[in-house]
Amino acid sequence: MTTERVPLTAKERMALDRVAMPEQKAALRAVNFREVNLGLTEQLAMLEAERCLQCPKPYCIDGCPVRVNIPRFIKLLRDGDLPGAAAQLLDDNALPCVTGRVCPQESQCELVCLRGKKGRSVAIGHLERFVADWAQDHPDGLAPAKPAASGRSVAIVGSGPAGLTAAGELVKRGHQVTIFEAFHAAGGVLVYGIPEFRLPKDIVQAEVDRLVAAGVRIEPNAIIGKTYTLPELQEQFDAVFVAVGAGLPVFMDVPGENLKGVYSANEYLTRVNLMGAWDPDADTPVLHGQRVVVVGGGNVAMDAVRTARRLGAAQATIVYRRGREELPARAEEVHHAEQEGVRFAFQVAPVEVVGDEDRWVVGLRCVRMELGEPDDSGRRRPIPVAGSEFVIDCDMVVVAIGTRSNPLLTATAPGLEINQRGYIVTDDRGMTSLDGVFAGGDIVRGAATVILAMGDGKRAASAIDAYLRGEQLPETPAAVPAEVHATA
Ligand code: FAD
Ligand code: SF4
């Protein structure tokens, strides 16, 4: 149903200020795991939607790796046609409740939004979240029509955003899809990495349930490379999509790193998020450090340090070897961390974890850094300052300096080409060196973002569909390079 109203003039739209996202107060949220951002009300969403200029050449679409038709869903929203806006969004984006919460919009669609040339860009992510949440609360009539069965089957390895997106696209085209997932729960980093206070797990589960209702089969506790091998999947299925992510932690390689009280961010967050260790009655324990140091400056580091605060750390400190301007984490996460009382030690790098006689952590020895010329990443290279060492007293250290590929699957897949860093090599449509085997997401790009992984899943699904039908692989836009979006 649409609402009759007098459209605003462009001048009136330009005069509207960007609507602020309501959020839990910092003092309150720093001690609970409930979501920080509370979401726009319908009234606020309508108001924000009025700010969109409906540009004839909408750069925002080009800024989105899955090319969501942003002006269209915003127009439908402000016309009061919420079912239409939801249907449009779901058609373009398999996981809008997720991307509306965790996408780095400020460096993608909102960066190029024309409205941002004068004033602030349209809050595209906040509007996406509003429409997606509405769709999750009003599922009737939004399920896509059941397609005719193609008689072809696809195995997907890994249930992160790349695997889930590919599954959704392939099942829409009538293929039989089975996802093999190493963990007991589906969602990849969305469930084991990103904490509840940024992305509630029931929201991810609802997205997974939607796929299962559409016909996707999920086999949990199935590790490809151990439970089954890739060649076995190739025998049983007509095509395979490998989307195993890059979840193997990188360590600092400094003395004392194996002391009690040192975690990789991956282990720490998995214990808390996936295994429920925030609850004292959970089977999986986790240390509740009082003075916690997290090493790193990406989203993973921010998630770990904010988790430590919520688990009772009186002092929670980020140690980062470059300066504030170089922090790779999303600006919103840094801002929220600061509001919650997290401290930042910039231009500081760890050189040793210090322990007591019982091998428990008591400090992190660090050295100060100065910033030299830009390196290959374009960021200024940190150089240690001689004689500047000092110790930060702490009882827990979390290492969040990046992840790399896990060789479990690739080591048991003869003929699968990987590069020198262990990532799977594909062409720009996602095809690997093995016939009928495609790959995408972090296992191809290295640690990147949810939306880039989803873009890969979508692109690979089109290519797999063409492959299964014996057609020419489709022309697709070139993949967006990962480096720009790296999160660690
Ligand atoms: P993953 O999400 O890693 O999923 C891979 C899945 O494959 C996992 O479920 C894994 O268990 C499974 N698997 C692995 N090996 C096997 C095997 N051999 N057999 C079967 N299954 C296997 N990006 C953003 O855009 N915004 C953010 O705010 C953000 N925050 C982040 C916070 C954290 C803590 C982390 C770790 C990452 C964050 N990222 C963020 C990055 C983003 O989550 C990843 O880029 C994205 O999840 C990659 O998706 P993927 O599908 O390739 O892999
Ligand atoms: Fe609206 Fe910004 Fe997209 Fe223009 S670029 S259509 S103002 S969201």
Side-chain angles (χ1 to χ4, degrees), residues 153-460:
S153 63
V154 184
I156 295 184
V157 190
S159 65
L164 293 178
T165 303
E169 293 290 326
L170 288 163
V171 85
K172 262 195 244 170
R173 291 160 158 107
H175 305 304
Q176 195 186 64
V177 178
T178 307
I179 300 182
F180 295 91
E181 167 55 49
F183 276 132
H184 63 273
V189 169
L190 308 180
V191 289
Y192 80 75
I194 303 181
E196 179 80 12
F197 56 82
R198 282 212 294 132
L199 181 60
K201 299 311 149 216
D202 57 351
I203 286 190
V204 182
Q205 189 55 48
E207 302 274 26
V208 172
D209 290 347
R210 199 155 46 83
L211 290 178
V212 171
V216 174
R217 220 184 126 244
I218 301 183
E219 186 171 330
N221 304 312
I223 306 175
I224 306 308
K226 274 204 183 300
T227 322
Y228 315 106
T229 62
L230 184 61
E232 282 168 347
L233 295 188
Q234 284 178 276
E235 267 173 35
Q236 288 170 31
F237 293 86
D238 297 311
V240 182
F241 179 55
V242 180
V244 291
L248 203 63
V250 170
F251 284 96
M252 302 181 288
D253 198 18
V254 301
E257 202 161 23
N258 56 1
L259 289 173
K260 291 179 274 186
V262 181
Y263 283 108
S264 69
N266 187 299
E267 179 186 347
Y268 183 60
L269 291 171
T270 303
R271 279 175 183 267
V272 178
N273 294 327
L274 188 65
M275 312 307 291
W278 51 270
D279 177 355
D281 294 332
D283 288 342
T284 303
V286 75
L287 292 175
H288 291 217
Q290 280 304 299
R291 287 172 303 170
V292 178
V293 175
V294 175
V295 182
N299 287 327
V300 183
M302 297 308 140
D303 284 344
V305 81
R306 295 173 70 198
T307 296
R309 276 289 283 157
R310 283 162 173 75
L311 289 178
Q315 267 178 39
T317 308
I318 286 280
V319 160
Y320 181 54
R321 62 195 183 132
R322 292 184 161 99
R324 173 182 291 273
E325 295 69 40
E326 285 84 11
L327 277 173
R330 292 184 63 201
E332 183 182 42
E333 308 312 329
V334 177
H335 175 62
H336 280 160
E338 279 177 324
Q339 284 182 328
E340 291 163 15
V342 169
R343 303 166 178 203
F344 286 78
F346 291 115
Q347 290 182 225
V348 165
V351 289
E352 181 189 359
V353 186
V354 186
D356 64 12
E357 60 280 6
D358 295 323
R359 298 187 55 74
W360 281 100
V361 172
V362 294
L364 185 68
R365 189 182 305 284
C366 297
V367 63
R368 296 201 187 279
M369 312 295 271
E370 59 188 11
L371 297 181
E373 293 302 308
D375 62 14
D376 294 347
S377 72
R379 295 176 300 173
R380 293 172 65 197
R381 187 193 302 275
I383 303 163
V385 177
S388 67
E389 287 190 10
F390 66 103
V391 174
I392 303 178
D393 293 335
C394 59
D395 54 8
M396 205 175 110
V397 173
V398 182
V399 184
I401 57 171
T403 52
R404 58 192 176 90
S405 65
N406 189 325
L408 209 60
L409 178 142
T410 51
T412 53
L416 182 67
E417 188 185 346
I418 53 175
N419 65 21
Q420 71 279 16
R421 294 167 64 214
Y423 296 117
I424 298 176
V425 176
T426 67
D427 65 19
D428 62 4
R429 294 167 190 91
M431 173 80 109
T432 69
S433 55
L434 296 175
D435 185 47
V437 178
F438 296 75
D442 284 4
I443 187 57
V444 171
R445 297 171 174 277
T449 61
V450 169
I451 194 79
L452 286 170
M454 290 175 62
D456 287 353
K458 199 167 176 178
R459 198 166 23 250

Side-chain angles (χ1 to χ4, degrees), residues 51-55 57-61 70-71 74 109 112-115 122 124:
R51 297 180 68 239
C52 173
L53 304 172
Q54 294 292 305
C55 307
K57 186 163 174 19
Y59 292 110
C60 52
I61 300 182
I70 293 164
I74 293 181
C109 53
V112 290
C113 166
L114 205 66
R115 183 65 181 75
V122 175
I124 299 169

